[in-house]
Amino acid sequence: MKYEESIKELESIVRKMENDELDIDTLGEQLKRAQALIKTCRDKLTKTDEEIKTILAGD
């Protein structure tokens, strides 16, 4: 899953939570999904940061 797709899905979950659109059964499931999406985004950002530092250090 691309970073942008992860962010859009995460934003959708947050919007639903803010608007009380999730019932109690779905809330736990969506929170777990949001947690996984946050980890995915964080990992991608960390990897990209490391790649940029490597490229810049090579110059």
Side-chain angles (χ1 to χ4, degrees), residues 6-7 9 16 27-30 35-36 42 46 53 56-57:
S6 297
I7 289 293
E9 186 176 345
K16 288 176 185 177
L27 182 60
E29 179 182 307
Q30 290 297 296
Q35 186 177 29
R42 184 179 296 132
T46 300
K53 286 178 182 176
L56 293 176

Side-chain angles (χ1 to χ4, degrees), residues 14-28:
V14 169
R15 188 172 37 258
K16 288 176 185 177
M17 289 173 64
E18 289 176 342
N19 293 327
D20 294 325
E21 295 176 20
L22 300 175
D23 60 38
I24 194 70
D25 296 320
T26 309
L27 182 60

Side-chain angles (χ1 to χ4, degrees), residues 26-41:
T26 309
L27 182 60
E29 179 182 307
Q30 290 297 296
L31 284 173
K32 288 178 186 176
R33 179 65 180 152
Q35 186 177 29
L37 290 166
I38 290 168
K39 182 183 181 326
T40 298
C41 290

Side-chain angles (χ1 to χ4, degrees), residues 37-55:
L37 290 166
I38 290 168
K39 182 183 181 326
T40 298
C41 290
R42 184 179 296 132
D43 291 347
K44 287 183 186 235
L45 288 171
T46 300
K47 181 180 176 189
T48 301
D49 183 52
E50 290 170 359
E51 290 173 353
I52 291 170
K53 286 178 182 176
T54 301
I55 291 168

